[in-house]
Amino acid sequence: MALKDFPREEYVLQGNAACAGCPATMALRTVLKALGKKTVMVVPACCTAVIQSLYPTCSFDIPVMNIAFEACAAGASGIRAALDQQGKHDHTVLSWAGDGGTYDIGLQALSGALERQTNFIYICYNNQIYSNTGIQRSGATPKGAWTTTTVGGKQEFRKDMSEIIRAHHLPYAAQASASRPLDLFEKVKKAKDIKGPRYIEILAPCPPGWRFGMEKTVEMGDLAIDTGAYALFESIDDNVVFNGKSKLILEEKIKPKPIEEWIKNQGRFKHLFYPKRDEKCLAEIQEHYDQMWDRYRKEYL
Amino acid sequence: MKKYDITSCISYPEEGAMGKTGSWRVFRPTLDIKKCVKCLRCWIFCPEGSIKRNKDDTVEINYDYCKGCGVCANVCKVKAITMKRENEKK
Amino acid sequence: MSVMINTGNYIAAKAAVMARPQVVAAYPITPQTTLVEGIANYVESGEYTGEYICVESEHSAMTACIGASEAGSRTFTATSSHGLLLMHEMLHWAALARLPIVMCNINRVIGPGWNIWSDQNDSIAQRDTGWLQIYCSSNQEIFDTIIQSFKLAENKKIVLPVLINYDAFIISHTSMPAYIPDQEEIDDFLPPLNPAWKLDVDNPVAHGTLIGTKYYEKLRRAMHDAQQNAIKLIPKIAKDWEKQFGRNHGDLFEKYQCEDAEYILISMAAIGAESKVAIDNLRKQGIKIGLARLRIFRPFPSEEVIALGKQAELIVIDRNISIGSEGAMFNEIKSALYQQSDAKVTGFIAGLGGKDVPYGDIEKMCKKAIQGKTKNHQIWFGFKEDD
């Protein structure tokens, strides 16, 4: 598989309302190329609710149901049931939600839909904040990050959502990145051909939210992987396989870059470096990711 | 495309739903086609889908909608795309 | 046709299944539980072949119904009290999205102070969501109303969801006989859904995108116009039903002994049924009184209320209270009469928290109003001895 093998069809139309450098449209283009035309998308309150543009026009060339913030997965359950009744078993129902709508307010509906074995794909594009409402903390925000509601930097670590998802024992779950379209495409394609509840999280570095230049979206995604701040893996019937550089980090074939390499390029962590270095917090952050990888090794190696 | 009679918040797909977003651009990507190796990285990474992929996998930039983020220039491994200030060019 | 002797909930389940919804999504709550259990039994027996989604909350129940309805399927659900309150956000969503979902709500007290008896504050609190609201007073009426409600909701001039309410236990758990038509007769009355719009991969649309103020106002106006259309359509559907099945529970109101009445009692749901006995007794005492049992609370039948006000003095019994204001019916009846009629209207609050409202009490309320001590004033009946 190479980029030249990607379908040419575009389901995200140009002239939409996404910010310049947006990781959500970047990833969604690839996702919809993998899923194709027979896809019905459910979008809760999140950036994508805005990105799709203004009535009476929209920027997505597939059917979309917008739904309340906490309701994405429940809406998908309803659509799936209706499509099955209509014999449209070949249609994919895609929930496309941000981290706020997944980690926080939408967790109950998501857990319910997973437990009910709803036949759908739930994708969380994780930009680690409530971007759409203007950069507030979420359960996915990493420790130390400035947001408008953690003005001195977030005190707590990110919730390990993938572990919560894995506790539902799905036929397919994965972590991918907007910066790795080939990996993302293959994961979505694989998910598409599996029946039952499927979950994919996509790391979505947000230029205005993370405070980096809008040309660096891909770079920030790659750095998160290289420093071990984020891991690429997939879980098929509870068998977890790491891939890309994350596999090499897991197997200790390469050492992850220091976490500072990732965070020093983001304005949201600036207070950890200026006016003077917050050695304690920086060490805690590094230690947190080291521990995360130790745990990964213990469980998945 | 069938339009529904009912008055509800039903929106229909259309290119340029938010207008010609090329007007957002401050920096303009310029492609040196001679350097292009048809790797398609700019095409797949463009958040807007404003890099047109031709049949032979050469690419063109659609300035009507390109928002000028510069991702394409940044991901181009052979530096075939450079960013220039809009007013510098004109 | 057959006769089924069973509780309001089981008869509602029967009606729901016979309406052939493709999707039912529900979450259990007392006293609605036997309704969703009834549907589960029909799933087990094979009588119901649609999708039955046992969701993890009422919020998700309504959301799943919205998803299924947007995908073009007929949907049904049921809830009560706190369940309805949890749905509140999605009730607005369903109505604004113009989805013909039909739902039963078993009127039940709201906590704190857990209490499972009858009280209408749960549904009255949803009056501004855009749902049509119907109140039933017998098991037969529940059956007939559920089938009729799909027809009403799915009519191209309406395309709004319908909430069918009846009292906790007094109706939901009381066995009464109901005539059940054959499936073919129901199918004949209620053909398959032809949705006004839907999510369709061959004709992709996005529903519920950002919308500007000018267009949004149009959505609201269209909903309001659709509700007004229901004022005319509800009696027509009731007549069609009567023609086919020989029963009519009234349309906007069920009127009883109203022809020559100088006083008209307005009540709804179970109190409405109980009121008939009170009317008979008061008539025996020579009082020219009738009953107009309000069936349709949304749209509010203002014109019909004005006609009643021009004929007689009105007595209103509310099993709900808008705290800080008045009973909902009392309030809206007076509002309808404003500058249209000088009719005296006396309001009573009775039966809150499921407190029993027997016909004897209804008689007392009517007499108190007729004696004229209480002009345009609302009384909490039985709350204080010296009221």
Side-chain angles (χ1 to χ4, degrees):
Chain A
M1 187 83 199
L3 290 181
K4 66 175 170 43
D5 303 320
F6 275 33
R8 289 165 186 268
E9 287 78 15
E10 295 288 349
Y11 300 99
V12 179
L13 305 179
Q14 301 177 69
N16 57 55
C19 300
C22 176
T25 49
M26 186 187 282
L28 186 57
R29 282 185 61 223
T30 291
V31 167
L32 293 180
K33 279 176 189 295
L35 294 178
K37 180 177 182 275
K38 287 186 177 178
T39 302
V40 181
M41 184 157 78
V42 191
V43 178
C46 65
C47 285
T48 305
V50 175
I51 289 167
Q52 65 191 282
S53 310
L54 197 60
Y55 175 95
T57 57
C58 77
S59 298
F60 298 152
D61 204 9
I62 51 164
V64 181
M65 171 167 90
N66 285 277
I67 200 72
F69 210 168
E70 67 279 45
C72 190
S77 285
I79 293 175
R80 177 79 269 165
L83 293 177
D84 285 348
Q85 279 286 306
Q86 295 162 17
K88 295 169 182 167
H89 304 291
D90 61 340
H91 287 35
T92 301
V93 179
L94 169 68
S95 280
W96 176 263
D99 50 293
T102 304
Y103 281 58
D104 298 342
I105 195 169
L107 183 58
Q108 176 184 319
L110 171 57
S111 178
L114 299 181
E115 183 271 333
R116 290 191 299 274
Q117 299 296 311
T118 295
N119 182 22
F120 79 132
I121 302 178
Y122 188 105
I123 295 185
C124 166
Y125 64 103
N126 176 11
N127 54 31
Q128 304 189 327
I129 31 162
Y130 292 88
S131 272
N132 190 32
T133 41
I135 317 167
Q136 291 82 30
R137 104 194 259 290
S138 79
T141 305
K143 182 181 169 91
W146 162 91
T147 70
T148 57
T149 50
T150 54
V151 178
K154 192 187 174 195
Q155 299 293 308
E156 304 80 18
F157 290 106
R158 164 199 171 225
K159 185 190 285 187
D160 197 341
M161 188 64 191
S162 286
E163 292 298 301
I164 295 170
I165 294 296
R166 279 188 21 77
H168 293 78
H169 307 294
L170 307 190
Y172 190 85
Q175 283 194 179
S177 170
S179 66
R180 297 293 167 101
L182 265 171
D183 179 65
L184 174 62
F185 185 89
E186 280 171 4
K187 282 172 176 166
V188 175
K189 200 87 185 151
K190 204 178 282 183
K192 184 182 184 241
D193 296 332
I194 292 171
K195 203 167 174 265
R198 292 143 283 168
Y199 176 90
I200 300 173
E201 178 161 323
I202 303 172
L203 184 67
C206 169
W210 295 13
R211 296 289 195 253
F212 61 80
M214 59 191 172
E215 74 284 3
K216 292 201 173 76
T217 304
V218 176
E219 210 173 308
M220 283 304 133
D222 281 349
L223 269 173
I225 296 162
D226 294 352
T227 57
Y230 187 77
L232 301 176
F233 59 79
E234 58 186 359
S235 166
I236 301 173
D237 293 328
D238 277 348
N239 295 312
V240 178
V241 178
F242 281 60
N243 56 300
K245 277 196 184 156
S246 303
K247 185 174 191 294
L248 301 175
I249 294 172
L250 185 82
E251 292 168 351
E252 296 185 273
K253 288 186 176 148
I254 58 168
K255 257 181 93 81
K257 290 179 180 170
I259 199 74
E260 268 191 59
E261 295 293 310
W262 180 55
I263 65 178
K264 73 180 182 194
N265 293 300
Q266 302 170 39
R268 61 175 173 162
F269 293 109
K270 195 176 166 192
H271 57 280
L272 300 181
F273 300 96
Y274 305 102
K276 68 176 180 41
R277 285 174 61 89
D278 185 341
E279 296 293 356
K280 184 171 167 282
C281 189
L282 286 168
E284 278 171 6
I285 292 170
Q286 183 64 60
E287 194 191 347
H288 170 74
Y289 289 107
D290 291 346
Q291 283 172 354
M292 179 179 91
W293 283 97
D294 283 346
R295 200 178 68 245
Y296 282 160
R297 283 182 195 107
K298 226 156 91 187
E299 290 181 31
Y300 306 129
L301 199 59
Chain B
M1 185 172 63
K2 186 175 108 189
K3 294 247 178 184
Y4 293 108
D5 270 344
I6 186 92
T7 304
S8 187
C9 187
I10 299 170
S11 299
Y12 298 84
E14 197 174 295
E15 191 174 277
M18 293 306 285
K20 293 270 162 51
T21 49
S23 65
W24 299 14
R25 202 167 51 239
V26 179
F27 291 90
R28 183 184 181 87
T30 311
L31 171 70
D32 182 349
I33 196 80
K34 281 174 281 179
K35 288 187 184 168
C36 175
V37 295
K38 304 184 189 180
C39 73
L40 296 174
R41 279 171 63 83
C42 59
W43 170 70
I44 200 61
F45 279 118
C46 174
E48 195 65 20
S50 287
I51 309 252
K52 190 184 164 208
R53 176 183 174 187
N54 294 320
K55 275 197 177 138
D56 62 352
D57 284 348
T58 55
V59 291
E60 288 168 45
I61 297 163
N62 184 346
Y63 293 106
D64 281 351
Y65 299 113
C66 162
K67 292 169 181 165
C69 66
V71 163
C72 54
N74 226 29
V75 298
C76 181
K77 300 216 166 167
V78 293
K79 301 207 164 9
I81 302 174
T82 45
M83 301 300 290
K84 289 185 181 132
R85 255 191 194 280
E86 278 288 338
N87 52 7
E88 266 175 38
K89 194 192 150 280
K90 281 164 195 167
Chain C
M1 191 196 70
S2 61
V3 177
M4 182 175 177
I5 302 171
N6 217 325
T7 63
N9 279 348
Y10 282 116
I11 281 168
K14 181 76 181 170
V17 166
M18 291 187 84
R20 298 190 191 272
Q22 280 107 359
V23 178
V24 173
Y27 187 78
I29 180 169
T30 305
Q32 157 263 36
T33 36
T34 49
L35 200 170
V36 295
E37 287 166 7
I39 294 174
N41 289 336
Y42 291 123
V43 172
E44 190 61 26
S45 69
E47 199 169 327
Y48 178 59
T49 56
E51 298 278 334
Y52 181 40
I53 317 175
C54 295
V55 285
E56 84 298 330
S57 74
E58 287 90 354
H59 195 281
S60 288
M62 185 43 59
T63 306
C65 285
I66 287 168
S69 193
E70 290 201 10
S73 283
R74 181 177 287 163
T75 58
F76 175 84
T77 186
T79 190
S80 180
S81 183
H82 286 260
L84 189 66
L85 301 188
L86 184 57
M87 283 182 184
H88 178 77
E89 179 190 28
M90 305 320 290
L91 297 183
H92 280 281
W93 203 286
L96 266 160
R98 307 301 298 274
L99 303 172
I101 299 165
V102 172
M103 170 161 67
C104 283
N105 174 59
I106 293 81
N107 284 122
R108 183 198 122 176
V109 176
I110 297 164
W114 290 122
N115 174 324
I116 54 174
W117 305 107
S118 177
D119 188 306
Q120 290 163 346
N121 260 56
D122 56 357
S123 56
I124 292 298
Q126 316 307 328
R127 70 179 124 171
D128 300 332
T129 57
W131 284 60
L132 289 91
Q133 284 200 16
I134 308 179
Y135 289 79
C136 294
S137 67
S138 75
N139 296 3
Q140 183 74 64
E141 187 180 4
I142 292 168
F143 184 94
D144 296 353
T145 302
I146 288 172
I147 308 292
Q148 290 181 39
S149 291
F150 281 105
K151 186 122 177 168
L152 173 66
E154 292 168 8
N155 185 287
K156 289 285 177 285
K157 289 191 161 162
I158 311 292
V159 198
L160 283 171
V162 178
L163 185 70
I164 301 158
N165 300 279
Y166 53 90
D167 301 66
F169 297 99
I170 304 169
I171 307 286
S172 70
H173 286 61
T174 301
S175 280
M176 300 178 213
Y179 292 104
I180 311 294
D182 295 339
Q183 184 67 56
E184 299 73 53
E185 295 177 280
I186 299 282
D187 294 346
D188 183 44
F189 183 83
L190 180 67
L193 168 67
N194 176 22
W197 72 274
K198 65 172 178 173
L199 301 167
D200 178 0
V201 297
D202 294 322
N203 188 48
V205 299
H207 186 270
T209 57
L210 296 186
I211 187 166
T213 50
K214 182 180 80 178
Y215 289 118
Y216 187 86
E217 190 183 26
K218 285 186 182 170
L219 303 186
R220 282 301 193 198
R221 181 55 191 262
M223 289 169 76
H224 185 68
D225 291 346
Q227 284 244 357
Q228 296 308 311
N229 292 340
I231 293 271
K232 287 201 184 73
L233 191 65
I234 289 164
K236 190 187 169 300
I237 290 174
K239 259 202 194 82
D240 291 347
W241 181 267
E242 187 179 5
K243 225 180 272 169
Q244 195 168 341
F245 301 105
R247 287 186 301 277
N248 192 331
H249 307 278
D251 33 62
L252 306 168
F253 285 97
E254 180 195 19
K255 289 183 188 154
Y256 181 70
Q257 305 273 22
C258 279
E259 293 74 21
D260 63 339
E262 290 165 10
Y263 305 96
I264 291 177
L265 168 63
I266 303 179
S267 56
M268 58 181 175
I271 294 179
E274 190 79 4
S275 295
K276 283 188 188 171
V277 185
I279 297 297
D280 288 344
N281 288 344
L282 291 165
R283 282 263 169 186
K284 275 180 209 152
Q285 294 162 40
I287 300 169
K288 285 191 168 175
I289 188 165
L291 166 72
R293 178 174 65 85
L294 183 69
R295 293 187 71 242
I296 313 295
F297 185 68
R298 280 290 178 278
F300 194 75
S302 299
E303 293 302 318
E304 289 69 16
V305 168
I306 292 165
L308 294 173
K310 285 186 172 159
Q311 178 190 336
E313 291 190 8
L314 305 180
I315 304 157
V316 182
I317 305 176
D318 273 294
R319 189 173 226 146
N320 62 76
I321 173 79
S322 175
I323 304 295
S325 179
E326 301 169 323
M329 259 199 306
F330 183 54
N331 192 299
E332 303 219 3
I333 285 167
K334 287 193 300 173
S335 164
L337 294 176
Y338 181 64
Q339 290 188 340
Q340 300 289 328
S341 154
D342 292 329
K344 181 183 152 188
V345 187
T346 309
F348 294 90
I349 301 287
L352 297 188
K355 206 165 147 187
D356 195 22
V357 185
Y359 60 82
D361 284 355
I362 297 170
E363 284 176 53
K364 280 184 201 160
M365 285 185 250
C366 291
K367 279 185 180 164
K368 197 176 284 283
I370 291 163
Q371 284 158 11
K373 284 184 192 163
T374 55
K375 190 175 166 67
N376 285 343
H377 182 63
Q378 184 159 262
I379 303 151
W380 289 58
F381 181 78
F383 187 72
K384 280 181 186 169
E385 288 309 314
D386 60 349
D387 62 345

